[in-house]
Amino acid sequence: MKNYCTHPKTITSEAELDATLARPYPELVNMMKHLEGDIAILGIAGKMGITLGMAAVNAIREAGVNKKVFGVSRFSDPAAADTLSTAGIEPIRCDLLDRAAVAKLPKTPNIIFMAGRKFGTGGEEDLTWAMNTIVPAHVGEAFGSSRIVAFSTGCVYPLVPVTRGGCNEDVTPDPIGEYSSSCLGRERVFAYYSRTLGTRVCLFRLNYALDLRYGVLRDIADAIWEGRPVNRSVGWFNALWQGDANNHALLALDHCTAPATPLNVTGPETASVTAVAERFGRLLDKPVTFNGDPGPVAYLNDASRAHRLFGYPRVALDTVIEWTADWIKSGGRSLGKPTHFEVSSGKF
Ligand SMILES: NC(=O)c1ccc[n+]([C@@H]2O[C@H](COP(=O)([O-])OP(=O)(O)OC[C@H]3O[C@@H](n4cnc5c(N)ncnc54)[C@H](OP(=O)(O)O)[C@@H]3O)[C@@H](O)[C@H]2O)c1
């Protein structure tokens, strides 16, 4: 058995980065030994889905069981389908807005639902609502007998003062703006199918996954590296290594319930934008300047329940900070998709 508590000192290539993000926990390998049926990842071709699919395939292989992993997307980037095939994931091209096409997907007992729309909401609000509420209806209708881990966001909660601590799952959602409201809509549609069809659902409220190619840390570090001021109007954040998020999402298949229950997923640290930026300044050997002062509130979530279920994330925030600084210094690629973590108006 590999030692999962050790991580590379630094990450030097995309192959090594993907392998690190796709490393399954021993608990995930164990879960694959008893999880019944195949797995389909809907909306796989985005920032997270491909390495999540790879983590599933690796866990299945290490468990020595026979199970297929399907990856469903439109494949706007056709290369993503080849990447999936090479990794042992079966790509299926499908537009999830097409109800008839969704009805024809293989009826896998395990669904990870990742499709959604955030950026570009301003001006095309109808498309965001369609993606975030009509698509879940198609999936809810087609997969009534499956377990569904439905990706959601911590932005369904209200902004809170840092002195209050993060929102746990007992806090009533109170989303700001159309995107966050449509994400609550997505949750409500899945909850409706869970209540009426008995579908087991976990509403996976994720706050900022960290890759080295995108994420809040990458956004802060890029600003410093390029000599731009760091926007700290939202002064604190929670985040977790995407490899941990991938493991938590797959492990959540074992915690799907009817009626649907929410699960906050993020790291244990309440990170200060100021302190993280200053740390990057030292690691990158660059001066740090800021735009304004931290505002009174931030999106902060308490993921204690997930930590109790799955243990603390295996990779500490400070490790990801060091990896990110090394990655940027060596010219590591960016996806060019900023998170806009500094937005508190709900407008994306
Ligand atoms: N990454 C984070 O830090 C984070 C934080 C909070 C919540 N989330 C949520 O977690 C989920 C996954 O995150 P992500 O960052 O991987 O999202 P992402 O980059 O937006 O990827 C989602 C993928 O879904 C596919 N998709 C979109 N519309 C589709 C349609 N009509 N039919 C089929 N596939 C479609 C797209 O691939 P094609 O264009 O190839 O179809 C897209 O790349 C999202 O719902 C996101 O809102 C993510």
Side-chain angles (χ1 to χ4, degrees):
M1 176 77 71
K2 288 175 203 148
N3 183 351
Y4 289 88
C5 295
T6 58
H7 305 291
K9 178 97 188 77
T10 188
I11 296 177
T12 54
S13 69
E14 298 224 21
E16 192 183 1
L17 174 54
D18 286 341
T20 308
L21 290 168
R23 195 190 277 188
Y25 292 176
E27 302 91 289
L28 183 59
V29 175
N30 282 337
M31 186 194 84
M32 290 301 179
K33 292 180 185 165
H34 69 76
L35 187 78
E36 280 176 20
D38 296 335
I39 301 171
I41 301 166
L42 309 185
I44 195 171
K47 301 184 290 302
M48 289 186 69
I50 295 178
T51 56
L52 190 150
M54 290 173 175
V57 167
N58 290 339
I60 290 164
R61 193 175 295 135
E62 288 186 33
V65 294
N66 199 0
K67 209 179 269 304
K68 280 188 189 161
V69 179
F70 298 100
V72 179
S73 260
R74 296 162 305 179
F75 297 110
S76 312
D77 170 12
D82 296 335
T83 307
L84 295 188
S85 300
T86 308
I89 302 162
E90 238 177 81
I92 301 177
R93 190 180 305 278
C94 172
D95 184 344
L96 298 166
L97 279 166
D98 180 342
R99 183 181 177 200
V102 174
K104 286 188 204 137
L105 289 171
K107 291 280 180 280
T108 52
N110 303 291
I111 299 289
I112 308 280
F113 178 81
M114 306 187 77
R117 182 176 143 89
K118 177 175 183 182
F119 299 116
T121 294
E124 279 189 318
E125 290 82 358
D126 58 326
L127 183 54
T128 296
W129 280 93
M131 267 312 298
N132 293 346
T133 62
I134 295 176
V135 167
H138 294 166
V139 172
E141 196 177 56
F143 292 97
S145 308
S146 302
R147 288 172 215 96
I148 304 179
V149 175
F151 270 64
S152 181
T153 165
C155 299
V156 295
Y157 293 117
L159 291 151
V160 289
V162 67
T163 48
R164 182 205 173 280
C167 298
N168 66 17
E169 293 87 348
D170 293 335
V171 172
T172 305
D174 189 9
I176 301 164
E178 295 239 9
Y179 161 71
S180 303
S181 300
S182 75
C183 292
L184 183 60
R186 169 169 58 193
E187 290 195 3
R188 298 297 194 227
V189 171
F190 277 116
Y192 168 77
Y193 282 97
S194 177
R195 186 169 57 75
T196 54
L197 301 181
T199 318
R200 289 151 294 168
V201 174
C202 173
L203 302 166
F204 192 82
R205 290 179 180 162
L206 174 65
N207 247 12
Y208 297 129
L210 301 170
D211 189 320
L212 306 184
R213 293 162 291 208
Y214 83 97
V216 180
L217 292 183
R218 177 77 202 223
D219 292 346
I220 295 172
D222 273 344
I224 295 165
W225 188 245
E226 292 160 13
R228 291 182 282 112
V230 175
N231 188 326
R232 59 175 170 182
S233 47
V234 172
W236 294 270
F237 65 95
N238 305 127
L240 89 166
W241 176 239
Q242 189 163 293
D244 285 305
N246 287 342
N247 273 277
H248 287 191
L250 289 161
L251 284 166
L253 284 168
D254 240 2
H255 299 278
C256 294
T257 55
T261 33
L263 183 65
N264 290 350
V265 178
T266 193
E269 299 94 345
T270 299
S272 142
V273 174
T274 306
V276 168
E278 285 170 352
R279 174 116 170 85
F280 271 125
R282 291 190 294 277
L283 289 167
L284 298 171
D285 198 19
K286 296 268 187 191
V288 180
T289 56
F290 293 100
N291 235 344
D293 290 318
V297 288
Y299 282 117
L300 294 172
N301 289 355
D302 177 347
S304 302
R305 183 168 163 249
H307 299 157
R308 204 170 64 232
L309 292 174
F310 310 135
Y312 281 112
R314 302 294 209 273
V315 180
L317 189 71
D318 199 58
T319 303
V320 192
I321 290 175
E322 289 191 351
W323 286 346
T324 305
D326 287 346
W327 185 258
I328 287 179
K329 282 195 282 188
S330 64
R333 186 168 74 100
S334 159
L335 297 184
K337 292 183 176 170
T339 57
H340 296 296
F341 71 94
E342 72 283 358
V343 171
S344 59
S345 62
K347 294 195 171 120
F348 295 99

